[in-house]
Amino acid sequence: MPRRMLTLLAAVAILIAACSNGPAATPVPTDPAAILAAATTSLQNVKSVHYKVAVTGSLNTGGLLGGGGASSAPSDSGSSLDLAGTTVEGDLDVVNSAASVTATVPALLNLTANVIVVGGIAYIKTSLTGAQYEKLDTSSLTGALPIPSAAASGSPAPEASAVLSDLQAELAKLPAPTLLADETVNGQDCHHIQEKVASSDVPLASGALDGMTGSATVDVWSQKSDGRPSRLLIAVDGGSQGSLSLTIDLTSYDAAVTIAAPPADQVSDQPFTIPGLGQ
């Protein structure tokens, strides 16, 4: 057999062997802390997202309504509020600083609520306040709620970057998370990270809850494709003060979404008020 033919056959054999082995394997992430940090960073350039929250558990209403403080006895000062069936769903348009929310809380007189936030105004309608929307200037909330805005270009505003940086710094202080088996969530192939913390691990939360103690388990399913969270499960055990579980599904990242103010004839002249917040 001519030498050239042997050389050609050898080259073909090498090529077939290389193809049979497939492409070079991409290293599988094994550091749960790095995966969790990447999930946080992945939110930096989100343009829009659809969210759905399901809440279960029960809370001691005595602790919520003034039983307060470490010296109180919450178990004797109120009844239990069953949160089963509580849901919150809507869309967040980060680029245009707009949002829509639909909420249902069966335990609170079968409360339902619809909220539309557009142009710095929240239009709020609840089953307890009537058929029309009432307006609330969201600037009255900015001092109390750390909600970052986004620039019109879709890039994160400086405040958003600062919030994410602070969040990553706080995550670094927590006990090491655990990497669990991969799962498919909301049609996405995901890493599954679990973090278990005590209230003493989060000083800010301990102070805000006026002495409330307990523990929380946070599960994060982050999409392998881009690191973005697909689901979060937050389970809080507050002992005698109750327990709470929130399942948060995040889907339709960066999808086109239109959020508009309700028609004028559906908006009341009366402003929506929150106790403790002046107009």
Side-chain angles (χ1 to χ4, degrees), residues 178-217:
T178 302
L179 179 62
L180 302 179
D182 295 345
E183 294 183 48
T184 299
V185 176
N186 294 321
Q188 299 291 326
D189 194 13
C190 295
H191 297 294
H192 183 186
I193 309 298
Q194 186 178 81
E195 177 81 74
K196 295 185 177 182
V197 298
S199 59
S200 57
D201 295 322
V202 190
L204 178 61
S206 299
L209 295 177
D210 191 21
M212 181 176 180
T213 59
S215 62
T217 300

Short mmCIF file of all heavy atoms in Angstrom, two decimals, residues 178-217:
data_model
loop_
_atom_site.label_atom_id
_atom_site.label_comp_id
_atom_site.label_asym_id
_atom_site.label_seq_id
_atom_site.Cartn_x
_atom_site.Cartn_y
_atom_site.Cartn_z
N THR A 178 -23.87 24.28 50.85
CA THR A 178 -23.69 22.89 50.40
C THR A 178 -24.18 22.73 48.97
O THR A 178 -25.23 23.27 48.60
CB THR A 178 -24.48 21.94 51.31
OG1 THR A 178 -24.04 22.10 52.67
CG2 THR A 178 -24.28 20.50 50.89
N LEU A 179 -23.41 22.01 48.17
CA LEU A 179 -23.82 21.72 46.80
C LEU A 179 -24.57 20.39 46.80
O LEU A 179 -24.02 19.35 47.14
CB LEU A 179 -22.59 21.64 45.88
CG LEU A 179 -22.85 21.30 44.41
CD1 LEU A 179 -23.71 22.38 43.77
CD2 LEU A 179 -21.54 21.14 43.66
N LEU A 180 -25.85 20.42 46.39
CA LEU A 180 -26.67 19.22 46.33
C LEU A 180 -26.78 18.74 44.88
O LEU A 180 -26.20 19.33 43.98
CB LEU A 180 -28.05 19.52 46.92
CG LEU A 180 -28.06 20.02 48.38
CD1 LEU A 180 -29.48 20.31 48.83
CD2 LEU A 180 -27.39 19.03 49.31
N ALA A 181 -27.53 17.69 44.67
CA ALA A 181 -27.65 17.11 43.33
C ALA A 181 -28.34 18.09 42.38
O ALA A 181 -29.25 18.82 42.76
CB ALA A 181 -28.46 15.81 43.40
N ASP A 182 -27.87 18.09 41.12
CA ASP A 182 -28.49 18.94 40.11
C ASP A 182 -29.94 18.56 39.91
O ASP A 182 -30.34 17.41 40.09
CB ASP A 182 -27.75 18.81 38.77
CG ASP A 182 -26.31 19.31 38.84
OD1 ASP A 182 -25.99 20.01 39.82
OD2 ASP A 182 -25.54 19.00 37.92
N GLU A 183 -30.76 19.56 39.51
CA GLU A 183 -32.18 19.31 39.26
C GLU A 183 -32.65 20.16 38.09
O GLU A 183 -32.04 21.18 37.76
CB GLU A 183 -33.02 19.65 40.50
CG GLU A 183 -32.78 18.75 41.70
CD GLU A 183 -33.70 19.10 42.86
OE1 GLU A 183 -34.92 19.23 42.62
OE2 GLU A 183 -33.21 19.25 43.99
N THR A 184 -33.75 19.75 37.49
CA THR A 184 -34.41 20.54 36.46
C THR A 184 -35.55 21.31 37.10
O THR A 184 -36.46 20.71 37.69
CB THR A 184 -34.95 19.65 35.33
OG1 THR A 184 -33.87 18.95 34.72
CG2 THR A 184 -35.65 20.50 34.27
N VAL A 185 -35.49 22.64 37.02
CA VAL A 185 -36.50 23.51 37.64
C VAL A 185 -36.98 24.51 36.60
O VAL A 185 -36.17 25.16 35.93
CB VAL A 185 -35.91 24.25 38.86
CG1 VAL A 185 -36.93 25.22 39.43
CG2 VAL A 185 -35.47 23.26 39.92
N ASN A 186 -38.29 24.60 36.44
CA ASN A 186 -38.88 25.51 35.45
C ASN A 186 -38.29 25.29 34.06
O ASN A 186 -38.05 26.24 33.29
CB ASN A 186 -38.71 26.97 35.88
CG ASN A 186 -39.48 27.30 37.15
OD1 ASN A 186 -40.59 26.83 37.33
ND2 ASN A 186 -38.89 28.10 38.03
N GLY A 187 -38.01 24.02 33.74
CA GLY A 187 -37.49 23.66 32.44
C GLY A 187 -36.02 23.96 32.25
O GLY A 187 -35.49 23.83 31.14
N GLN A 188 -35.31 24.35 33.34
CA GLN A 188 -33.91 24.71 33.25
C GLN A 188 -33.05 23.72 34.04
O GLN A 188 -33.42 23.32 35.15
CB GLN A 188 -33.68 26.13 33.81
CG GLN A 188 -34.44 27.22 33.09
CD GLN A 188 -33.92 27.47 31.69
OE1 GLN A 188 -32.73 27.35 31.43
NE2 GLN A 188 -34.82 27.82 30.78
N ASP A 189 -31.91 23.35 33.47
CA ASP A 189 -30.96 22.50 34.16
C ASP A 189 -30.23 23.36 35.19
O ASP A 189 -29.59 24.35 34.84
CB ASP A 189 -29.97 21.91 33.14
CG ASP A 189 -29.16 20.76 33.72
OD1 ASP A 189 -29.53 20.27 34.81
OD2 ASP A 189 -28.16 20.37 33.10
N CYS A 190 -30.33 22.98 36.46
CA CYS A 190 -29.87 23.87 37.52
C CYS A 190 -28.91 23.21 38.51
O CYS A 190 -29.01 22.01 38.78
CB CYS A 190 -31.07 24.40 38.33
SG CYS A 190 -32.21 25.44 37.41
N HIS A 191 -28.01 24.02 39.05
CA HIS A 191 -27.27 23.66 40.24
C HIS A 191 -28.19 23.89 41.44
O HIS A 191 -29.03 24.79 41.42
CB HIS A 191 -26.03 24.55 40.41
CG HIS A 191 -25.02 24.42 39.31
ND1 HIS A 191 -24.30 23.27 39.09
CD2 HIS A 191 -24.59 25.33 38.39
CE1 HIS A 191 -23.48 23.45 38.08
NE2 HIS A 191 -23.63 24.68 37.63
N HIS A 192 -28.02 23.09 42.48
CA HIS A 192 -28.83 23.24 43.69
C HIS A 192 -27.89 23.51 44.87
O HIS A 192 -27.08 22.66 45.25
CB HIS A 192 -29.65 21.97 43.94
CG HIS A 192 -30.56 22.05 45.12
ND1 HIS A 192 -31.30 20.96 45.57
CD2 HIS A 192 -30.86 23.07 45.97
CE1 HIS A 192 -31.99 21.32 46.63
NE2 HIS A 192 -31.74 22.59 46.90
N ILE A 193 -28.02 24.71 45.43
CA ILE A 193 -27.18 25.13 46.56
C ILE A 193 -28.08 25.32 47.78
O ILE A 193 -29.18 25.86 47.69
CB ILE A 193 -26.46 26.46 46.26
CG1 ILE A 193 -25.73 26.39 44.93
CG2 ILE A 193 -25.51 26.81 47.40
CD1 ILE A 193 -24.64 25.36 44.88
N GLN A 194 -27.60 24.88 48.93
CA GLN A 194 -28.36 25.05 50.17
C GLN A 194 -27.51 25.75 51.21
O GLN A 194 -26.34 25.42 51.41
CB GLN A 194 -28.84 23.70 50.71
CG GLN A 194 -29.77 23.82 51.91
CD GLN A 194 -30.27 22.46 52.37
OE1 GLN A 194 -29.57 21.75 53.09
NE2 GLN A 194 -31.47 22.09 51.94
N GLU A 195 -28.11 26.73 51.86
CA GLU A 195 -27.45 27.49 52.92
C GLU A 195 -28.30 27.44 54.17
O GLU A 195 -29.50 27.72 54.13
CB GLU A 195 -27.27 28.95 52.47
CG GLU A 195 -26.65 29.86 53.51
CD GLU A 195 -25.14 29.75 53.56
OE1 GLU A 195 -24.47 30.25 52.64
OE2 GLU A 195 -24.65 29.14 54.53
N LYS A 196 -27.70 27.04 55.30
CA LYS A 196 -28.41 27.00 56.58
C LYS A 196 -27.80 28.06 57.49
O LYS A 196 -26.59 28.09 57.70
CB LYS A 196 -28.31 25.62 57.22
CG LYS A 196 -29.03 24.54 56.42
CD LYS A 196 -29.03 23.20 57.15
CE LYS A 196 -29.82 22.15 56.37
NZ LYS A 196 -29.88 20.86 57.07
N VAL A 197 -28.66 28.92 58.03
CA VAL A 197 -28.17 30.01 58.87
C VAL A 197 -29.05 30.16 60.10
O VAL A 197 -30.22 29.79 60.10
CB VAL A 197 -28.14 31.35 58.11
CG1 VAL A 197 -27.19 31.29 56.92
CG2 VAL A 197 -29.54 31.74 57.64
N ALA A 198 -28.47 30.71 61.14
CA ALA A 198 -29.20 31.09 62.35
C ALA A 198 -29.36 32.60 62.34
O ALA A 198 -28.62 33.31 61.65
CB ALA A 198 -28.44 30.64 63.60
N SER A 199 -30.33 33.10 63.09
CA SER A 199 -30.54 34.55 63.12
C SER A 199 -29.29 35.27 63.59
O SER A 199 -29.03 36.41 63.18
CB SER A 199 -31.73 34.89 64.03
OG SER A 199 -31.48 34.41 65.35
N SER A 200 -28.48 34.62 64.41
CA SER A 200 -27.25 35.25 64.90
C SER A 200 -26.22 35.42 63.78
O SER A 200 -25.29 36.22 63.90
CB SER A 200 -26.64 34.39 66.02
OG SER A 200 -26.39 33.07 65.56
N ASP A 201 -26.40 34.68 62.66
CA ASP A 201 -25.50 34.81 61.53
C ASP A 201 -25.82 36.04 60.68
O ASP A 201 -25.03 36.44 59.83
CB ASP A 201 -25.58 33.57 60.62
CG ASP A 201 -25.07 32.32 61.31
OD1 ASP A 201 -24.09 32.42 62.06
OD2 ASP A 201 -25.67 31.25 61.11
N VAL A 202 -27.01 36.63 60.93
CA VAL A 202 -27.44 37.79 60.14
C VAL A 202 -27.80 38.91 61.12
O VAL A 202 -28.96 39.09 61.48
CB VAL A 202 -28.66 37.44 59.26
CG1 VAL A 202 -28.93 38.58 58.27
CG2 VAL A 202 -28.43 36.13 58.54
N PRO A 203 -26.83 39.68 61.59
CA PRO A 203 -27.07 40.72 62.60
C PRO A 203 -28.15 41.70 62.19
O PRO A 203 -28.97 42.10 63.02
CB PRO A 203 -25.70 41.41 62.70
CG PRO A 203 -24.72 40.37 62.28
CD PRO A 203 -25.42 39.59 61.20
N LEU A 204 -28.21 42.08 60.91
CA LEU A 204 -29.21 43.04 60.46
C LEU A 204 -30.61 42.51 60.67
O LEU A 204 -31.50 43.20 61.16
CB LEU A 204 -28.99 43.38 58.98
CG LEU A 204 -30.00 44.36 58.36
CD1 LEU A 204 -29.94 45.70 59.08
CD2 LEU A 204 -29.72 44.54 56.87
N ALA A 205 -30.82 41.22 60.33
CA ALA A 205 -32.14 40.62 60.49
C ALA A 205 -32.50 40.51 61.97
O ALA A 205 -33.63 40.76 62.37
CB ALA A 205 -32.17 39.24 59.83
N SER A 206 -31.54 40.15 62.79
CA SER A 206 -31.81 40.02 64.23
C SER A 206 -32.27 41.33 64.82
O SER A 206 -33.21 41.39 65.61
CB SER A 206 -30.55 39.53 64.95
OG SER A 206 -30.16 38.26 64.45
N GLY A 207 -31.62 42.43 64.43
CA GLY A 207 -32.00 43.73 64.95
C GLY A 207 -33.36 44.17 64.46
O GLY A 207 -34.17 44.72 65.21
N ALA A 208 -33.64 43.90 63.18
CA ALA A 208 -34.90 44.34 62.60
C ALA A 208 -36.08 43.60 63.19
O ALA A 208 -37.18 44.14 63.27
CB ALA A 208 -34.87 44.13 61.07
N LEU A 209 -35.85 42.36 63.65
CA LEU A 209 -36.94 41.55 64.18
C LEU A 209 -37.08 41.67 65.69
O LEU A 209 -37.79 40.90 66.32
CB LEU A 209 -36.75 40.08 63.78
CG LEU A 209 -36.84 39.82 62.27
CD1 LEU A 209 -36.55 38.36 61.98
CD2 LEU A 209 -38.21 40.21 61.73
N ASP A 210 -36.39 42.65 66.28
CA ASP A 210 -36.57 42.97 67.69
C ASP A 210 -36.41 41.75 68.58
O ASP A 210 -37.30 41.39 69.36
CB ASP A 210 -37.95 43.61 67.90
CG ASP A 210 -38.09 44.21 69.31
OD1 ASP A 210 -37.06 44.49 69.94
OD2 ASP A 210 -39.25 44.40 69.75
N GLY A 211 -35.28 41.07 68.48
CA GLY A 211 -35.00 39.97 69.38
C GLY A 211 -35.49 38.62 68.93
O GLY A 211 -35.29 37.62 69.60
N MET A 212 -36.16 38.56 67.77
CA MET A 212 -36.65 37.28 67.28
C MET A 212 -35.47 36.37 66.95
O MET A 212 -34.50 36.78 66.34
CB MET A 212 -37.50 37.48 66.02
CG MET A 212 -38.07 36.18 65.46
SD MET A 212 -39.15 36.48 64.05
CE MET A 212 -39.64 34.81 63.63
N THR A 213 -35.54 35.14 67.40
CA THR A 213 -34.47 34.18 67.13
C THR A 213 -35.02 33.01 66.34
O THR A 213 -36.23 32.78 66.29
CB THR A 213 -33.86 33.66 68.44
OG1 THR A 213 -34.89 33.03 69.21
CG2 THR A 213 -33.26 34.81 69.24
N GLY A 214 -34.13 32.27 65.73
CA GLY A 214 -34.57 31.13 64.95
C GLY A 214 -33.52 30.76 63.94
O GLY A 214 -32.36 31.14 64.05
N SER A 215 -33.93 30.00 62.94
CA SER A 215 -33.01 29.56 61.91
C SER A 215 -33.71 29.57 60.56
O SER A 215 -34.94 29.59 60.49
CB SER A 215 -32.49 28.15 62.22
OG SER A 215 -33.57 27.22 62.24
N ALA A 216 -32.92 29.54 59.51
CA ALA A 216 -33.48 29.55 58.16
C ALA A 216 -32.65 28.64 57.27
O ALA A 216 -31.44 28.52 57.43
CB ALA A 216 -33.51 30.96 57.61
N THR A 217 -33.34 28.00 56.36
CA THR A 217 -32.68 27.21 55.32
C THR A 217 -33.05 27.82 53.98
O THR A 217 -34.24 27.99 53.68
CB THR A 217 -33.14 25.74 55.36
OG1 THR A 217 -32.81 25.18 56.63
CG2 THR A 217 -32.45 24.94 54.27
#
